Amino acid sequence: MPRTLADWLAYIERQHPKSIAMGLERVRAVAARLRLQRPAARVVTVAGTNGKGSTVAFIESIARAQGLRVAAYTSPHLLRFNERIRIDGREVEDAALVAGFAAVEAARGDVPLTYFEYATLCALWLFQRAGLDLAVLEVGLGGRLDAVNLVDADAAVITTVDLDHQDWLGHDTEAIGFEKAGIARPFKPLVLGDDDPPASVLRHAYAIGAPAWRIANDFFAEPVDAAHWRWREVGCEYLLPYPMRGQGAPVQLRNAACAIAALRALDLPLDDAAIARGVATAAVAGRLQRFEHDGVEVVVDVGHNPQAARALAGWLRARPGRRTLAVYAALGDKDAAGVVRALAGVVEAWHFAGSRAAGTRGLAVAELQQRLHGAVADGSGHAEVADALRAALAQAAPDGRVLVFGSFHAAAEALRLLGGDA
Protein backbone atom coordinates (compact mmCIF):
# COMPACT_ATOMS: atom_id res chain seq x y z
CA MET A 1 0.00 0.00 0.00
CA PRO A 2 1.20 3.56 -0.62
CA ARG A 3 2.56 5.25 2.49
CA THR A 4 2.94 8.96 1.74
CA LEU A 5 0.61 11.45 0.06
CA ALA A 6 2.94 11.62 -2.93
CA ASP A 7 2.78 7.81 -3.20
CA TRP A 8 -1.02 7.87 -3.04
CA LEU A 9 -1.33 10.55 -5.71
CA ALA A 10 0.91 8.59 -8.04
CA TYR A 11 -1.10 5.44 -7.29
CA ILE A 12 -4.56 6.88 -7.88
CA GLU A 13 -3.46 8.37 -11.20
CA ARG A 14 -2.93 4.79 -12.45
CA GLN A 15 -6.17 3.18 -11.29
CA HIS A 16 -8.43 4.10 -14.20
CA PRO A 17 -7.56 3.95 -17.90
CA LYS A 18 -9.16 7.37 -18.45
CA SER A 19 -8.56 10.65 -16.65
CA ILE A 20 -12.27 11.49 -17.05
CA ALA A 21 -15.07 8.90 -16.83
CA MET A 22 -18.49 10.45 -16.38
CA GLY A 23 -21.21 8.69 -14.39
CA LEU A 24 -22.21 8.09 -10.79
CA GLU A 25 -22.65 4.32 -10.67
CA ARG A 26 -19.10 3.45 -9.64
CA VAL A 27 -18.60 6.29 -7.17
CA ARG A 28 -22.04 5.68 -5.66
CA ALA A 29 -21.21 2.01 -5.08
CA VAL A 30 -17.97 2.87 -3.27
CA ALA A 31 -19.70 5.60 -1.24
CA ALA A 32 -22.23 3.03 -0.03
CA ARG A 33 -19.42 0.73 1.09
CA LEU A 34 -17.81 3.66 2.91
CA ARG A 35 -21.17 4.33 4.57
CA LEU A 36 -21.01 7.94 3.53
CA GLN A 37 -23.98 9.94 4.69
CA ARG A 38 -24.28 13.72 4.55
CA PRO A 39 -20.92 15.49 4.79
CA ALA A 40 -22.40 18.38 6.82
CA ALA A 41 -25.64 19.70 8.26
CA ARG A 42 -26.01 21.88 5.14
CA VAL A 43 -24.48 21.45 1.68
CA VAL A 44 -24.01 23.91 -1.18
CA THR A 45 -22.88 22.58 -4.57
CA VAL A 46 -21.33 24.99 -7.08
CA ALA A 47 -21.13 24.39 -10.83
CA GLY A 48 -20.42 26.69 -13.76
CA THR A 49 -18.12 27.38 -16.68
CA ASN A 50 -16.17 30.03 -14.78
CA GLY A 51 -16.14 31.46 -11.27
CA LYS A 52 -16.71 28.26 -9.30
CA GLY A 53 -13.60 28.47 -7.13
CA SER A 54 -14.14 32.13 -6.29
CA THR A 55 -17.80 31.54 -5.42
CA VAL A 56 -16.84 28.66 -3.13
CA ALA A 57 -14.26 30.91 -1.45
CA PHE A 58 -16.84 33.65 -0.83
CA ILE A 59 -19.38 31.20 0.62
CA GLU A 60 -16.72 29.65 2.84
CA SER A 61 -15.35 33.00 4.01
CA ILE A 62 -18.75 34.52 4.84
CA ALA A 63 -19.96 31.40 6.65
CA ARG A 64 -16.76 31.22 8.70
CA ALA A 65 -17.07 34.91 9.57
CA GLN A 66 -20.55 34.05 10.86
CA GLY A 67 -18.95 31.49 13.18
CA LEU A 68 -19.94 28.33 11.31
CA ARG A 69 -17.68 25.30 10.99
CA VAL A 70 -17.18 25.02 7.23
CA ALA A 71 -15.38 22.73 4.80
CA ALA A 72 -14.71 23.31 1.11
CA TYR A 73 -13.79 20.94 -1.71
CA THR A 74 -12.38 22.45 -4.91
CA SER A 75 -10.37 21.42 -7.95
CA PRO A 76 -7.92 21.46 -9.54
CA HIS A 77 -5.11 22.59 -7.27
CA LEU A 78 -2.31 24.98 -8.17
CA LEU A 79 0.76 24.10 -6.10
CA ARG A 80 -0.22 21.19 -3.84
CA PHE A 81 -3.05 18.68 -3.62
CA ASN A 82 -3.94 19.75 -0.08
CA GLU A 83 -5.46 22.97 -1.48
CA ARG A 84 -8.44 20.95 -2.69
CA ILE A 85 -9.77 20.01 0.75
CA ARG A 86 -10.15 22.62 3.49
CA ILE A 87 -11.72 22.22 6.91
CA ASP A 88 -12.32 25.25 9.10
CA GLY A 89 -10.20 27.40 6.79
CA ARG A 90 -7.15 25.13 6.80
CA GLU A 91 -5.85 22.74 4.19
CA VAL A 92 -6.13 19.13 5.31
CA GLU A 93 -2.74 17.72 6.27
CA ASP A 94 -1.01 14.87 4.50
CA ALA A 95 -1.71 12.32 7.25
CA ALA A 96 -5.47 12.88 7.06
CA LEU A 97 -5.43 12.59 3.27
CA VAL A 98 -3.45 9.35 3.48
CA ALA A 99 -6.04 7.96 5.91
CA GLY A 100 -8.86 9.04 3.60
CA PHE A 101 -7.31 7.48 0.51
CA ALA A 102 -6.64 4.27 2.43
CA ALA A 103 -10.31 4.11 3.45
CA VAL A 104 -11.46 4.64 -0.14
CA GLU A 105 -9.04 2.00 -1.41
CA ALA A 106 -10.21 -0.52 1.16
CA ALA A 107 -13.84 0.07 0.17
CA ARG A 108 -13.57 0.13 -3.60
CA GLY A 109 -12.66 -3.51 -4.14
CA ASP A 110 -12.43 -4.02 -7.90
CA VAL A 111 -14.32 -0.82 -8.80
CA PRO A 112 -12.10 1.42 -10.96
CA LEU A 113 -12.04 5.06 -9.87
CA THR A 114 -10.57 8.13 -11.55
CA TYR A 115 -8.21 10.50 -9.77
CA PHE A 116 -11.06 12.97 -9.25
CA GLU A 117 -13.40 10.28 -7.90
CA TYR A 118 -10.77 9.14 -5.39
CA ALA A 119 -10.31 12.75 -4.30
CA THR A 120 -14.04 13.40 -3.99
CA LEU A 121 -14.68 10.29 -1.90
CA CYS A 122 -11.68 11.10 0.28
CA ALA A 123 -13.01 14.62 0.87
CA LEU A 124 -16.50 13.40 1.74
CA TRP A 125 -15.07 10.76 4.10
CA LEU A 126 -13.06 13.44 5.91
CA PHE A 127 -15.95 15.92 6.00
CA GLN A 128 -18.34 13.37 7.50
CA ARG A 129 -15.97 13.02 10.47
CA ALA A 130 -15.40 16.74 11.01
CA GLY A 131 -18.68 17.85 12.64
CA LEU A 132 -19.48 20.47 10.03
CA ASP A 133 -22.23 23.06 9.85
CA LEU A 134 -21.68 23.58 6.12
CA ALA A 135 -19.87 21.84 3.26
CA VAL A 136 -19.26 23.69 -0.01
CA LEU A 137 -18.57 21.38 -2.95
CA GLU A 138 -17.21 22.48 -6.33
CA VAL A 139 -18.19 20.40 -9.34
CA GLY A 140 -15.25 19.14 -11.35
CA LEU A 141 -16.85 18.87 -14.81
CA GLY A 142 -20.43 19.57 -15.83
CA GLY A 143 -22.67 18.58 -12.96
CA ARG A 144 -25.23 15.87 -13.67
CA LEU A 145 -22.67 13.06 -13.97
CA ASP A 146 -19.90 14.56 -11.84
CA ALA A 147 -18.81 12.68 -8.72
CA VAL A 148 -19.72 15.66 -6.51
CA ASN A 149 -23.34 15.22 -7.57
CA LEU A 150 -23.38 12.12 -5.39
CA VAL A 151 -24.43 14.50 -2.60
CA ASP A 152 -27.89 16.06 -2.46
CA ALA A 153 -27.35 19.80 -2.09
CA ASP A 154 -29.55 22.03 0.07
CA ALA A 155 -28.78 24.85 -2.36
CA ALA A 156 -27.08 24.77 -5.75
CA VAL A 157 -25.24 27.51 -7.64
CA ILE A 158 -24.54 27.71 -11.37
CA THR A 159 -22.18 30.63 -11.79
CA THR A 160 -22.11 30.85 -15.61
CA VAL A 161 -22.86 28.70 -18.64
CA ASP A 162 -20.63 29.08 -21.69
CA LEU A 163 -18.67 26.99 -24.15
CA ASP A 164 -15.99 24.77 -22.61
CA HIS A 165 -15.41 21.01 -22.39
CA GLN A 166 -17.71 20.54 -25.38
CA ASP A 167 -16.43 17.01 -26.02
CA TRP A 168 -17.95 15.99 -22.67
CA LEU A 169 -20.87 18.36 -22.15
CA GLY A 170 -22.28 19.14 -25.59
CA HIS A 171 -21.59 21.63 -28.34
CA ASP A 172 -23.93 24.48 -27.38
CA THR A 173 -24.91 26.29 -24.21
CA GLU A 174 -28.31 24.60 -24.06
CA ALA A 175 -26.71 21.16 -23.83
CA ILE A 176 -24.04 22.38 -21.41
CA GLY A 177 -26.66 24.14 -19.29
CA PHE A 178 -28.68 20.94 -18.97
CA GLU A 179 -25.61 19.08 -17.68
CA LYS A 180 -24.87 21.78 -15.11
CA ALA A 181 -28.51 22.00 -14.00
CA GLY A 182 -28.25 18.37 -12.90
CA ILE A 183 -26.88 19.54 -9.54
CA ALA A 184 -30.25 21.06 -8.64
CA ARG A 185 -32.56 19.11 -6.36
CA PRO A 186 -36.37 19.07 -6.22
CA PHE A 187 -37.79 21.99 -4.25
CA LYS A 188 -34.31 23.21 -3.26
CA PRO A 189 -33.12 26.67 -4.33
CA LEU A 190 -30.97 27.11 -7.45
CA VAL A 191 -28.90 30.31 -7.66
CA LEU A 192 -28.00 31.46 -11.18
CA GLY A 193 -25.18 33.89 -11.94
CA ASP A 194 -26.19 34.53 -15.55
CA ASP A 195 -28.59 37.38 -16.34
CA ASP A 196 -30.08 35.26 -19.10
CA PRO A 197 -29.31 31.57 -18.44
CA PRO A 198 -29.96 28.92 -21.08
CA ALA A 199 -33.57 27.82 -21.36
CA SER A 200 -32.47 24.26 -20.54
CA VAL A 201 -31.47 25.38 -17.04
CA LEU A 202 -34.76 27.10 -16.34
CA ARG A 203 -36.79 24.23 -17.83
CA HIS A 204 -35.05 21.71 -15.61
CA ALA A 205 -35.51 23.85 -12.52
CA TYR A 206 -39.20 24.24 -13.32
CA ALA A 207 -39.63 20.53 -14.00
CA ILE A 208 -38.26 19.51 -10.59
CA GLY A 209 -39.75 22.39 -8.63
CA ALA A 210 -36.41 24.01 -7.78
CA PRO A 211 -36.96 27.74 -7.23
CA ALA A 212 -34.51 29.61 -9.47
CA TRP A 213 -32.96 32.77 -8.02
CA ARG A 214 -31.40 34.80 -10.83
CA ILE A 215 -28.90 37.64 -10.62
CA ALA A 216 -30.16 40.92 -12.10
CA ASN A 217 -33.69 39.57 -11.69
CA ASP A 218 -34.15 38.36 -8.13
CA PHE A 219 -31.00 39.78 -6.55
CA PHE A 220 -28.56 42.46 -7.64
CA ALA A 221 -24.89 43.44 -7.35
CA GLU A 222 -24.32 47.17 -7.89
CA PRO A 223 -21.14 49.27 -7.59
CA VAL A 224 -21.71 52.26 -5.31
CA ASP A 225 -18.41 54.15 -5.10
CA ALA A 226 -14.67 53.51 -5.16
CA ALA A 227 -14.81 51.49 -1.95
CA HIS A 228 -18.27 49.90 -1.81
CA TRP A 229 -20.85 47.88 -3.68
CA ARG A 230 -24.39 46.90 -2.80
CA TRP A 231 -26.08 43.49 -2.69
CA ARG A 232 -29.84 43.71 -2.64
CA GLU A 233 -33.10 41.92 -3.13
CA VAL A 234 -36.63 43.01 -2.33
CA GLY A 235 -36.71 43.95 1.34
CA CYS A 236 -33.00 43.40 2.02
CA GLU A 237 -29.72 45.06 1.09
CA TYR A 238 -26.11 45.08 2.24
CA LEU A 239 -23.51 47.81 1.66
CA LEU A 240 -20.22 45.93 1.30
CA PRO A 241 -16.51 46.49 0.70
CA TYR A 242 -15.02 45.24 -2.53
CA PRO A 243 -13.31 41.84 -2.47
CA MET A 244 -9.67 41.90 -1.41
CA ARG A 245 -8.58 40.51 -4.78
CA GLY A 246 -10.16 41.62 -8.01
CA GLN A 247 -10.67 45.22 -6.91
CA GLY A 248 -14.33 45.27 -7.79
CA ALA A 249 -14.03 43.33 -11.05
CA PRO A 250 -17.59 42.78 -12.28
CA VAL A 251 -17.11 39.03 -12.44
CA GLN A 252 -15.99 38.92 -8.81
CA LEU A 253 -18.95 40.99 -7.67
CA ARG A 254 -21.19 38.47 -9.42
CA ASN A 255 -19.42 35.58 -7.69
CA ALA A 256 -19.75 37.29 -4.30
CA ALA A 257 -23.39 38.10 -5.00
CA CYS A 258 -24.15 34.46 -5.84
CA ALA A 259 -22.41 33.36 -2.65
CA ILE A 260 -24.57 35.67 -0.55
CA ALA A 261 -27.69 34.49 -2.37
CA ALA A 262 -26.79 30.84 -1.72
CA LEU A 263 -26.27 31.43 1.99
CA ARG A 264 -29.54 33.35 2.25
CA ALA A 265 -31.27 30.53 0.38
CA LEU A 266 -30.18 28.18 3.17
CA ASP A 267 -32.01 30.45 5.60
CA LEU A 268 -28.94 30.69 7.82
CA PRO A 269 -28.56 33.59 10.25
CA LEU A 270 -26.32 36.16 8.55
CA ASP A 271 -25.02 39.28 10.27
CA ASP A 272 -24.20 42.32 8.15
CA ALA A 273 -20.74 42.42 9.70
CA ALA A 274 -20.05 38.76 8.87
CA ILE A 275 -21.04 39.26 5.23
CA ALA A 276 -18.84 42.34 4.93
CA ARG A 277 -15.88 40.67 6.61
CA GLY A 278 -16.29 37.49 4.58
CA VAL A 279 -16.44 39.35 1.26
CA ALA A 280 -13.47 41.55 2.11
CA THR A 281 -11.19 38.71 3.24
CA ALA A 282 -12.07 35.90 0.81
CA ALA A 283 -9.05 35.01 -1.27
CA VAL A 284 -8.40 32.37 -3.88
CA ALA A 285 -5.07 32.07 -5.63
CA GLY A 286 -4.70 32.60 -9.34
CA ARG A 287 -7.75 34.82 -9.79
CA LEU A 288 -6.60 38.32 -10.70
CA GLN A 289 -3.76 37.74 -8.25
CA ARG A 290 -1.37 40.68 -8.43
CA PHE A 291 2.34 41.09 -7.78
CA GLU A 292 4.83 43.95 -8.15
CA HIS A 293 8.13 43.13 -9.85
CA ASP A 294 10.54 46.09 -10.19
CA GLY A 295 7.64 48.45 -10.77
CA VAL A 296 5.85 46.13 -13.19
CA GLU A 297 2.41 44.89 -12.19
CA VAL A 298 2.06 41.13 -12.76
CA VAL A 299 -1.46 39.69 -12.82
CA VAL A 300 -1.89 35.91 -12.65
CA ASP A 301 -5.21 34.35 -13.61
CA VAL A 302 -6.37 30.80 -14.33
CA GLY A 303 -8.74 31.98 -17.09
CA HIS A 304 -8.66 29.47 -19.94
CA ASN A 305 -11.71 29.90 -22.19
CA PRO A 306 -13.22 32.76 -24.23
CA GLN A 307 -15.73 33.74 -21.54
CA ALA A 308 -12.94 34.08 -18.98
CA ALA A 309 -10.85 36.01 -21.50
CA ARG A 310 -13.71 38.46 -22.11
CA ALA A 311 -13.90 39.05 -18.36
CA LEU A 312 -10.14 39.67 -18.24
CA ALA A 313 -10.44 42.11 -21.14
CA GLY A 314 -13.16 44.04 -19.31
CA TRP A 315 -11.03 44.19 -16.16
CA LEU A 316 -8.04 45.51 -18.14
CA ARG A 317 -10.11 48.11 -19.98
CA ALA A 318 -11.32 49.44 -16.65
CA ARG A 319 -7.65 49.98 -15.65
CA PRO A 320 -6.04 51.93 -18.49
CA GLY A 321 -2.70 53.68 -18.29
CA ARG A 322 -0.42 50.65 -18.27
CA ARG A 323 0.93 48.94 -21.39
CA THR A 324 -0.14 45.31 -21.07
CA LEU A 325 1.94 42.36 -22.21
CA ALA A 326 0.48 38.86 -22.01
CA VAL A 327 2.00 35.47 -21.30
CA TYR A 328 -0.36 32.82 -22.62
CA ALA A 329 -0.11 29.02 -22.44
CA ALA A 330 -3.09 26.90 -23.47
CA LEU A 331 -4.15 23.29 -23.11
CA GLY A 332 -4.81 21.29 -26.23
CA ASP A 333 -8.58 21.03 -25.78
CA LYS A 334 -9.17 24.79 -25.43
CA ASP A 335 -10.27 27.42 -27.95
CA ALA A 336 -6.95 29.27 -28.00
CA ALA A 337 -7.88 31.48 -30.96
CA GLY A 338 -11.13 32.52 -29.26
CA VAL A 339 -9.25 33.39 -26.09
CA VAL A 340 -6.70 35.55 -27.92
CA ARG A 341 -9.36 37.33 -29.99
CA ALA A 342 -11.25 38.23 -26.79
CA LEU A 343 -8.20 40.18 -25.60
CA ALA A 344 -7.50 41.95 -28.90
CA GLY A 345 -7.09 45.65 -28.34
CA VAL A 346 -6.12 45.45 -24.67
CA VAL A 347 -2.94 43.35 -24.97
CA GLU A 348 -0.17 45.14 -26.83
CA ALA A 349 2.39 42.33 -27.03
CA TRP A 350 2.16 38.55 -26.69
CA HIS A 351 4.54 35.97 -25.28
CA PHE A 352 3.35 32.43 -26.02
CA ALA A 353 4.52 29.47 -23.99
CA GLY A 354 4.41 25.72 -24.19
CA SER A 355 2.49 23.72 -21.63
CA ARG A 356 4.30 20.39 -21.65
CA ALA A 357 4.08 20.26 -17.84
CA ALA A 358 0.35 19.60 -18.30
CA GLY A 359 1.10 16.16 -19.74
CA THR A 360 -1.00 14.78 -22.57
CA ARG A 361 -3.30 17.84 -22.53
CA GLY A 362 -0.39 20.23 -22.98
CA LEU A 363 0.77 21.95 -26.15
CA ALA A 364 4.26 22.69 -27.40
CA VAL A 365 4.65 26.37 -28.19
CA ALA A 366 5.05 25.72 -31.91
CA GLU A 367 1.67 23.97 -32.04
CA LEU A 368 0.04 26.76 -30.03
CA GLN A 369 1.38 29.38 -32.41
CA GLN A 370 0.17 27.36 -35.39
CA ARG A 371 -3.34 27.29 -33.91
CA LEU A 372 -3.21 31.04 -33.41
CA HIS A 373 -2.16 31.82 -36.97
CA GLY A 374 -4.43 34.63 -38.13
CA ALA A 375 -5.82 35.30 -34.64
CA VAL A 376 -2.96 37.54 -33.51
CA ALA A 377 -0.57 39.65 -35.55
CA ASP A 378 2.63 38.78 -33.74
CA GLY A 379 4.07 37.17 -30.66
CA SER A 380 7.24 35.54 -29.43
CA GLY A 381 7.42 31.86 -28.52
CA HIS A 382 8.98 30.26 -25.45
CA ALA A 383 9.32 26.66 -24.37
CA GLU A 384 7.89 27.19 -20.88
CA VAL A 385 5.81 29.72 -18.98
CA ALA A 386 8.77 30.69 -16.80
CA ASP A 387 10.82 31.57 -19.90
CA ALA A 388 7.93 33.61 -21.32
CA LEU A 389 7.38 35.46 -18.06
CA ARG A 390 11.06 36.38 -17.76
CA ALA A 391 11.04 37.70 -21.33
CA ALA A 392 7.85 39.70 -20.74
CA LEU A 393 9.25 41.24 -17.56
CA ALA A 394 12.41 42.21 -19.39
CA GLN A 395 10.35 43.85 -22.15
CA ALA A 396 7.87 45.62 -19.87
CA ALA A 397 8.29 49.27 -19.02
CA PRO A 398 8.69 50.10 -15.29
CA ASP A 399 5.04 51.16 -15.13
CA GLY A 400 3.79 48.34 -17.34
CA ARG A 401 1.67 45.30 -16.72
CA VAL A 402 2.17 41.59 -17.49
CA LEU A 403 -0.83 39.26 -17.57
CA VAL A 404 -0.10 35.54 -17.16
CA PHE A 405 -3.01 33.22 -17.92
CA GLY A 406 -4.31 30.29 -19.95
CA SER A 407 -4.67 27.37 -17.50
CA PHE A 408 -4.15 26.28 -13.92
CA HIS A 409 -0.77 24.93 -15.03
CA ALA A 410 0.28 28.31 -16.42
CA ALA A 411 -0.83 30.09 -13.26
CA ALA A 412 1.01 27.57 -11.07
CA GLU A 413 4.27 28.03 -12.99
CA ALA A 414 3.98 31.80 -12.65
CA LEU A 415 3.25 31.59 -8.91
CA ARG A 416 6.33 29.43 -8.38
CA LEU A 417 8.51 31.95 -10.19
CA LEU A 418 6.97 34.94 -8.43
CA GLY A 419 7.06 33.37 -4.99
CA GLY A 420 3.28 33.42 -4.65
CA ASP A 421 1.49 30.97 -2.36
CA ALA A 422 -1.78 29.29 -3.22
Side-chain angles (χ1 to χ4, degrees), residues 5 82 85 90-99 126:
L5 177 58
N82 311 61
I85 305 175
R90 294 185 294 274
E91 296 174 6
V92 171
E93 295 182 353
D94 288 11
L97 292 169
V98 166
L126 290 168

Side-chain angles (χ1 to χ4, degrees), residues 170-260:
H171 292 279
D172 57 43
T173 55
E174 290 297 327
I176 293 170
F178 174 76
E179 292 298 326
K180 295 186 185 303
I183 66 169
R185 291 298 188 268
F187 312 111
K188 301 292 185 180
L190 172 63
V191 175
L192 302 175
D194 278 326
D195 294 17
D196 186 19
S200 60
V201 174
L202 299 175
R203 278 198 305 268
H204 182 72
Y206 179 79
I208 66 172
W213 207 7
R214 297 163 56 185
I215 197 167
N217 290 271
D218 304 295
F219 64 98
F220 301 84
E222 304 163 335
V224 173
D225 55 34
H228 300 92
W229 65 287
R230 178 185 294 109
W231 186 97
R232 68 176 176 88
E233 61 168 334
V234 174
C236 176
E237 67 175 55
Y238 304 106
L239 184 65
L240 301 167
Y242 286 118
M244 183 169 65
R245 288 180 181 163
Q247 299 294 304
V251 67
Q252 289 294 26
L253 294 191
R254 282 177 173 265
N255 294 334
C258 287
I260 295 168

Side-chain angles (χ1 to χ4, degrees), residues 138-155:
E138 179 187 344
V139 167
L141 179 63
R144 182 174 65 93
L145 299 177
D146 186 86
V148 164
N149 204 32
L150 178 71
V151 180
D152 291 328
D154 298 292

